[in-house]
Amino acid sequence: MLELEFTTIEEWDEAMWARMERIYHEAFQSGAKTKVILRSMLDRGVGYLHTGVHQGKVVAMAVTGLEGKAVDRILIIDYLAVDQKLRGLGIGTWMLEQLRAWALREHEIRGILIEAESGTTGAHQERIQFWQSNGFILTSYVHQYRMVPEPYQAMMLPLDRSTHVPDDGEALFRYINAFHKVAYRKN
């Protein structure tokens, strides 16, 4: 495992974005939020950027947001990516561990939520297996957005015994949709 440094960025940093942008666009070639939207999320305090840095080079990045009231606050991982050349070395799992520790310490979250593309291709199955190997529970509900061609399923990592993962997952999309609504808001 590489020696990595984890950083959370709460205010837009153009130089840091320039260091992480390649990994973001390499991993999310279609459907990714624009730089303008990401910057707006940070400017309004509804999103965070995170990096994993090895020897001064960004090798992993994530975009997150929080949803829910204090008693049931959930961390939503909007995007998580590792440099293509370094995948399979445990960096994604390391980033998840860092995100979890940060969110528990700073925001007392009850769980971590992601939406994974629902599909049967090898790439889809690899992504699902990555999240499952890190403790996430795949729900059965398949959500179809109006403006996005691919369907999604919610996956959740509960962080305490009182956090319930609904069997079908439809209820989890209330958190995800609320987060997206705030993320895309202009002001």
Side-chain angles (χ1 to χ4, degrees):
M1 177 68 186
L2 301 175
E3 190 173 312
L4 299 165
E5 177 186 342
F6 178 79
T7 306
T8 295
I9 299 125
E10 296 184 19
E11 295 179 12
W12 188 258
D13 180 333
E14 191 67 37
M16 182 56 82
W17 174 249
R19 294 174 59 204
M20 63 196 304
E21 184 176 20
R22 178 189 58 80
I23 295 169
Y24 179 70
H25 289 297
E26 181 179 85
F28 308 105
Q29 296 175 7
S30 65
K33 288 178 175 66
T34 65
K35 175 181 162 182
V36 169
I37 292 168
L38 294 173
R39 182 176 185 150
S40 173
M41 288 170 58
L42 269 66
D43 289 348
R44 293 179 292 117
V46 299
Y48 304 90
L49 295 176
H50 310 270
T51 61
V53 176
H54 173 66
Q55 297 180 345
K57 181 180 177 191
V58 174
V59 297
M61 59 81 59
V63 178
T64 64
L66 298 165
E67 194 54 51
K69 298 190 182 352
V71 295
D72 69 344
R73 186 162 290 141
I74 300 292
L75 178 72
I76 295 176
I77 299 177
D78 203 18
Y79 301 97
L80 175 75
V82 173
D83 187 317
Q84 277 184 341
K85 295 178 279 272
L86 299 174
R87 291 183 187 159
L89 299 177
I91 297 170
T93 295
W94 180 86
M95 278 293 286
L96 274 174
E97 291 167 359
Q98 302 309 306
L99 290 168
R100 176 183 178 165
W102 167 80
L104 280 167
R105 183 180 62 250
E106 300 293 324
H107 300 287
E108 299 177 7
I109 61 165
R110 306 286 301 272
I112 302 175
L113 183 59
I114 62 117
E115 58 181 333
E117 286 181 27
S118 178
T120 56
T121 69
H124 288 117
Q125 294 308 308
E126 278 182 37
R127 283 193 285 273
I128 298 287
Q129 286 172 351
F130 165 78
W131 294 105
Q132 287 177 321
S133 71
N134 284 286
F136 283 75
I137 298 166
L138 178 65
T139 59
S140 61
Y141 171 71
V142 177
H143 187 78
Q144 183 65 59
Y145 291 104
R146 283 180 280 178
M147 304 298 283
V148 181
E150 57 276 330
Y152 287 86
Q153 287 175 271
M155 297 184 78
M156 185 167 185
L157 175 63
L159 297 179
D160 62 37
R161 294 179 192 263
S162 67
T163 303
H164 172 70
V165 179
D167 292 335
D168 77 349
E170 187 170 6
L172 296 176
F173 273 90
R174 284 197 295 268
Y175 288 104
I176 294 167
N177 289 330
F179 170 72
H180 286 310
K181 185 176 182 181
V182 170
Y184 284 104
R185 192 174 295 146
K186 297 277 192 249
N187 54 5

